[in-house]
Amino acid sequence: MFRLRRNVNCDHNATTPVSRSVRLAMAKALTGFQANPSTPYREGRQAAFIVDRARRDLAAALNVAPETIIFTSGATEANNHVRSIAATLPPGRRHIIYNPMEHPAMLEPLRMLERDGFGLTAARPDHLGRIGVSELDRLWRPEVALVVMMAANNETGTFYDVRGLSAAARARGALFFSDMVQALGKIPLDLAGLGVDYATFSAHKISGPKGTGALYVRKGAPFAPLVVGGGQEGGRRAGTESLHNLAGFAAAVKEIPSPARTSGLRRLKEAFVEGLLELHPGTQLNSPPGRESQPGTVSVTLPGFDNAFLLGQLDYHGISVAAGSACRTGANEPSHVLLAMGLSAEQARSTLRLSFGPDFSKKDLRYLLDVFRIVLAGQESRAIDVILPGSVTEDFIFRKDLTIVHVKRFPGLKGPRPLPGSRVIALGDKPAWEGVNPPGPVFLTCEVGYDAPIMAWSLRRRGLRDLSVLALGLWGLKLGRPDLWRRLDGQGRGTPEDDSNEP
């Protein structure tokens, strides 16, 4: 009857949780290294050592020389170097072949180049987003000087034949630029063996901090700085280095999962796909099978369902998924990636992207499929969800369709202030119970966690289905989540007589 509601993060391609070792490395850098890395005295040299070590660690993971790595504020800035690099191209070769499924951080700089007079030709992906060397051969023209092709797609997980594509480009005298943000940590990367001229990376996609990225520039490849004004990064990127972020980046690189761990993740993804097809046989898969796509990423189209509706329903059950790129989630427009693959706008608006991380477990998989079963069948959960304090969020508390009922056993006894918007009802007040008949979900709270389940059981017997209770009560929330409690307390709408007594 009672079921623990899980928080299942199925949106790792948007960002990844910062690991403990990364947090510790960043805290150490913040507290122990206060000097500017560019200063010549001892403290400055110590700070510079942190930068150099991060550069060596990333270079070792990519099998390149440390001096080929330039640290940036993120992959977006790194991708924007395509503009400054294009400025170095010879006048007679100002044409670029690119993947139309690139991230907006690459597409927008390319469009700027087009406005500046560069020619652009989009490659044509197949129905699973794959682009092969034969497509590059078909599009080739003497004016092409640069090929832009990501290593892995952020929406479908599709891997591209970077080695073959870069070899074909360089054989014709063209440069090769690859966004490898979604490949780092998913597959081993040997940049020297892949033969790329430029590659970009982001720390927050591998459990590192946000706001930090890197650009690889092959020795001898043309280069012009995008950010000028200082001598940092060997004169190639101005601005004081973000020391704590780079310490976190280095720690994250050392924790890149082994192939064995990614294989286990792939098996869980395949089990999810199999289970979803059983629940909804009309599901369309947009990701290539097997090792042609990321081990934890799958794009699925569910005909007849609007993805905005699915996002909301899954979110209510504690499951985070995406409808496309995180940078375009708020835009009411179909995914450009899916349109490039030949899907209609209607199909694109019925598509979800799920991207699992290393912490995704068999229990998460079972819960995920159970929620999909409920949502796709248009059913309400038969179980009463038990929500731990750590799973409570402000977004959940302030849902417009949520009714919060606070159950008090002793009306005169003071305790924690009810959550904002709560309807306070005494446990034994049967007429008040019978007045609880909301159109949407009901979330029940009490002081210590005993009384809310009793009332939930009673409401279930009266026919209410979408019920959840707060485990450990408001005292558990107040003591276990003081940060959230401070934000919620005082936001009003609780009864003044229920002001809390401190424990």
Side-chain angles (χ1 to χ4, degrees):
M1 178 63 74
F2 289 92
R3 177 189 67 174
L4 181 65
R5 179 177 296 186
R6 304 178 68 85
N7 275 356
V8 184
N9 181 0
C10 301
D11 196 21
H12 277 255
N13 281 8
T15 194
T16 52
V18 177
S19 72
R20 182 176 182 273
S21 65
V22 169
R23 293 196 300 271
L24 291 175
M26 295 176 68
K28 183 177 180 181
L30 282 168
T31 57
F33 301 92
Q34 302 293 331
N36 189 315
S38 297
T39 52
Y41 42 82
R42 180 174 58 86
E43 290 85 354
R45 294 194 301 273
Q46 290 175 337
F49 176 77
I50 300 296
V51 178
D52 291 340
R53 185 173 62 188
R55 200 184 315 277
R56 292 196 303 270
D57 289 343
L58 180 57
L62 301 174
N63 191 32
V64 295
E67 57 268 25
T68 62
I69 301 295
I70 303 170
F71 287 122
T72 66
S73 65
T76 295
E77 179 192 323
N79 282 342
N80 268 264
H81 278 83
V82 73
R83 294 160 51 203
S84 60
I85 291 168
T88 68
L89 299 178
R93 300 189 67 179
R94 292 169 63 86
H95 202 91
I96 301 170
I97 295 176
Y98 73 102
N99 183 346
M101 300 170 62
E102 295 286 330
H103 191 278
M106 182 66 80
L107 291 178
E108 292 302 321
L110 288 174
R111 291 182 183 121
M112 292 181 69
L113 287 172
E114 187 175 34
R115 290 194 291 270
D116 290 339
F118 285 81
L120 296 183
T121 298
R124 185 173 59 198
D126 68 9
H127 69 289
L128 293 177
R130 296 169 294 199
I131 297 173
V133 175
S134 60
E135 177 65 3
L136 202 60
D137 293 337
R138 185 182 72 84
L139 296 177
W140 199 261
R141 52 197 292 183
E143 298 83 11
V144 174
L146 179 64
V147 174
V148 175
M149 193 72 58
M150 63 194 338
N153 188 267
N154 54 299
E155 292 192 29
T156 65
T158 304
F159 284 133
Y160 299 94
D161 179 15
V162 172
R163 188 187 306 273
L165 290 164
S166 65
R170 294 184 64 185
R172 295 173 169 88
L175 299 167
F176 193 88
F177 196 125
S178 184
D179 178 336
M180 294 192 170
V181 167
Q182 294 293 347
L184 183 62
K186 311 293 196 312
I187 53 173
L189 290 177
D190 177 0
L191 296 190
L194 291 174
V196 300
D197 298 290
Y198 313 96
T200 58
F201 306 94
S202 178
H204 78 99
K205 306 295 186 179
I206 58 169
S207 297
K210 300 172 182 64
T212 300
L215 169 70
Y216 161 76
V217 180
R218 179 184 56 81
K219 288 183 179 180
F223 178 77
L226 181 68
V227 180
V228 296
Q232 293 87 357
E233 296 299 294
R236 298 173 297 176
R237 197 274 186 183
T240 302
E241 294 90 349
S242 181
L243 198 65
H244 61 289
N245 277 334
L246 293 180
F249 198 174
V253 167
K254 293 179 180 178
E255 290 186 332
I256 289 176
S258 66
R261 289 183 66 190
T262 57
S263 296
L265 185 60
R266 187 180 298 281
R267 286 192 293 271
L268 288 174
K269 181 187 78 170
E270 292 170 349
F272 165 73
V273 170
E274 182 179 348
L276 184 61
L277 288 171
E278 290 179 4
L279 293 173
H280 194 69
T283 299
Q284 173 184 324
L285 302 181
N286 306 311
S287 301
R291 298 188 178 278
E292 291 186 80
S293 64
Q294 291 175 336
T297 302
V298 62
S299 171
V300 294
T301 299
L302 299 157
F305 290 91
D306 181 80
N307 54 21
F309 165 79
L310 294 173
L311 285 171
Q313 293 296 308
L314 294 170
D315 181 46
Y316 174 73
H317 288 279
I319 296 171
S320 304
V321 301
S325 169
C327 299
R328 293 294 180 91
T329 297
N332 185 24
E333 58 186 43
S335 160
H336 72 280
V337 170
L338 300 175
L339 295 180
M341 292 165 56
L343 275 71
S344 67
E346 180 181 1
Q347 289 174 314
R349 290 192 175 99
S350 296
T351 299
L352 296 177
R353 176 194 71 183
L354 295 95
S355 47
F356 311 119
D359 58 344
F360 187 71
S361 67
K362 291 181 179 179
K363 289 183 179 180
D364 292 331
L365 173 62
R366 287 194 293 269
Y367 181 76
L368 178 62
L369 288 173
D370 184 50
V371 171
F372 262 101
R373 176 186 57 78
I374 294 169
V375 172
L376 295 178
Q379 301 173 350
E380 294 174 338
S381 176
R382 299 176 182 176
I384 298 173
D385 283 341
V386 178
I387 303 180
L388 294 171
S391 298
V392 178
T393 65
E394 288 183 79
D395 287 342
F396 174 76
I397 294 300
F398 289 103
R399 279 182 59 128
K400 292 182 180 180
D401 61 343
L402 181 70
T403 297
I404 304 176
V405 176
H406 180 67
V407 186
K408 288 188 70 69
R409 176 172 296 193
F410 305 106
L413 183 67
K414 290 186 177 182
R417 180 191 296 271
L419 295 175
S422 294
R423 176 177 178 177
V424 181
I425 296 177
L427 183 63
D429 189 359
K430 187 174 181 180
W433 289 31
E434 293 174 349
V436 179
N437 192 25
V442 179
F443 180 49
L444 297 109
T445 67
C446 58
E447 292 183 0
V448 294
Y450 293 131
D451 301 326
I454 294 174
M455 184 167 185
W457 181 274
S458 176
L459 294 176
R460 171 52 52 85
R461 292 182 64 185
R462 288 184 42 236
L464 270 69
R465 293 296 178 189
D466 205 345
L467 300 170
S468 57
V469 298
L470 174 63
L472 307 179
L474 292 181
W475 279 122
L477 182 65
K478 185 172 183 177
L479 296 175
R481 294 288 307 282
D483 56 332
L484 177 63
W485 185 263
R486 285 192 295 269
R487 294 198 298 272
L488 292 174
D489 193 28
Q491 294 197 34
R493 307 203 302 272
T495 56
E497 63 270 23
D498 290 318
D499 288 344
S500 64
N501 292 326
E502 295 300 325

